[in-house]
Amino acid sequence: MENNEYIYIVLIKALTGLGKFSRKITKYEYTHIAVSFDDNLDDFITFSRKNHYSPFDAGFMHEKKEHYAFGRNTKVKVKIFKIPVSKEDKIKINEYVQKIENDKEYIFNLYSMITMPILHGIKIYKAHNCMSFVSKILELSNSIKLEKRYYKYNIKEIDKLLENYLLKECYLNKKQEDKSYMTKKGIIFNIKMFFKLNGQLIYRIIFKRRKL
């Protein structure tokens, strides 16, 4: 099959407090990752927070440049890889993305993210974070050979895996502020989201293991 279609994997130097903290610990620049289906880079598909001020209200997201360059930040640094895929595989990838987007059971895999340096990935029923989601897309592409299970890759490893497909490393400028995304949420809302997400994850670890 000819590879005459492309997908774009985008590494993002997140400007959030969590992103800055992660860089201090890992000494690695990029702390978020997403996939885009066209070279306009206007739609970044990933798993992430749904509001800037609510880290536990997270899940499947269509992000924009304004979600990365927020507030006084006018630009964000990114590293972009251009991955060739066949038409058949791109259709398969699109179908997978649509399936997840339409399935409201999918949640954010917080536990796999925070334990990645120690446990190197935890698979939980219908749960992704940005790393596992993008790695699954790469697996479906049939263009990249994964040496381990998709949910065990961190961003630095994905960076290395895709080094032969590097398109460019640059800054993306925001167009305008996303006021909805930047609306502040109260502490009560964030506490509720914290307990909701943790409750869902713990329940699935205990009772949904057989469905993996």
Side-chain angles (χ1 to χ4, degrees), residues 132-144:
S132 65
F133 175 72
V134 170
S135 295
K136 183 63 179 179
I137 297 297
L138 289 173
E139 183 180 72
L140 292 171
S141 77
N142 287 318
S143 298
I144 309 297

Side-chain angles (χ1 to χ4, degrees), residues 77-177:
K77 188 176 182 181
V78 297
K79 192 172 186 179
I80 305 166
F81 301 89
K82 186 177 182 179
I83 314 298
V85 296
S86 68
K87 287 184 177 180
E88 292 81 2
D89 286 328
K90 191 166 185 181
I91 289 171
K92 185 169 59 177
I93 290 168
N94 270 293
E95 288 175 345
Y96 179 74
V97 169
Q98 289 171 12
K99 182 186 78 171
I100 289 184
E101 184 171 13
N102 293 328
D103 189 342
K104 303 309 177 185
E105 271 197 288
Y106 271 91
I107 59 174
F108 187 78
N109 195 342
L110 175 67
Y111 292 173
S112 185
M113 184 184 75
I114 63 177
T115 62
M116 182 62 80
I118 302 169
L119 300 179
H120 308 292
I122 302 171
K123 190 176 182 182
I124 299 176
Y125 175 74
K126 289 192 177 182
H128 271 307
N129 54 49
C130 64
M131 297 171 286
S132 65
F133 175 72
V134 170
S135 295
K136 183 63 179 179
I137 297 297
L138 289 173
E139 183 180 72
L140 292 171
S141 77
N142 287 318
S143 298
I144 309 297
K145 183 180 179 181
L146 303 188
E147 301 293 340
K148 54 187 176 180
R149 293 181 179 180
Y150 70 89
Y151 57 88
K152 291 187 171 291
Y153 281 89
N154 62 36
I155 296 175
K156 189 175 182 179
E157 290 170 331
I158 298 172
D159 189 347
K160 178 67 176 176
L161 189 68
L162 301 181
E163 61 183 352
N164 293 330
Y165 299 93
L166 179 63
L167 178 63
K168 59 183 175 179
E169 197 167 13
C170 63
Y171 287 90
L172 298 179
N173 296 310
K174 73 177 178 183
K175 297 178 180 178
Q176 59 184 9
E177 200 74 76

Side-chain angles (χ1 to χ4, degrees), residues 6-8 35-39 43 45 90 93-94 97 137:
Y6 296 93
I7 60 171
Y8 299 84
V35 61
S36 186
F37 289 143
D38 64 75
D39 56 6
D43 182 29
I45 307 168
K90 191 166 185 181
I93 290 168
N94 270 293
V97 169
I137 297 297

Side-chain angles (χ1 to χ4, degrees), residues 15-16 20 52 65-66 68-76 172-174 177:
L15 300 174
T16 60
K20 293 175 182 177
H52 177 71
K65 295 167 189 168
E66 290 73 31
Y68 307 140
F70 51 84
R72 295 180 180 178
N73 300 300
T74 59
K75 60 184 180 179
V76 61
L172 298 179
N173 296 310
K174 73 177 178 183
E177 200 74 76

Side-chain angles (χ1 to χ4, degrees), residues 11 33 64-65 87 123 131 137 193 197-198 202:
L11 277 58
I33 188 167
K64 298 180 287 187
K65 295 167 189 168
K87 287 184 177 180
K123 190 176 182 182
M131 297 171 286
I137 297 297
M193 291 299 102
L197 178 58
N198 280 275
I202 292 169

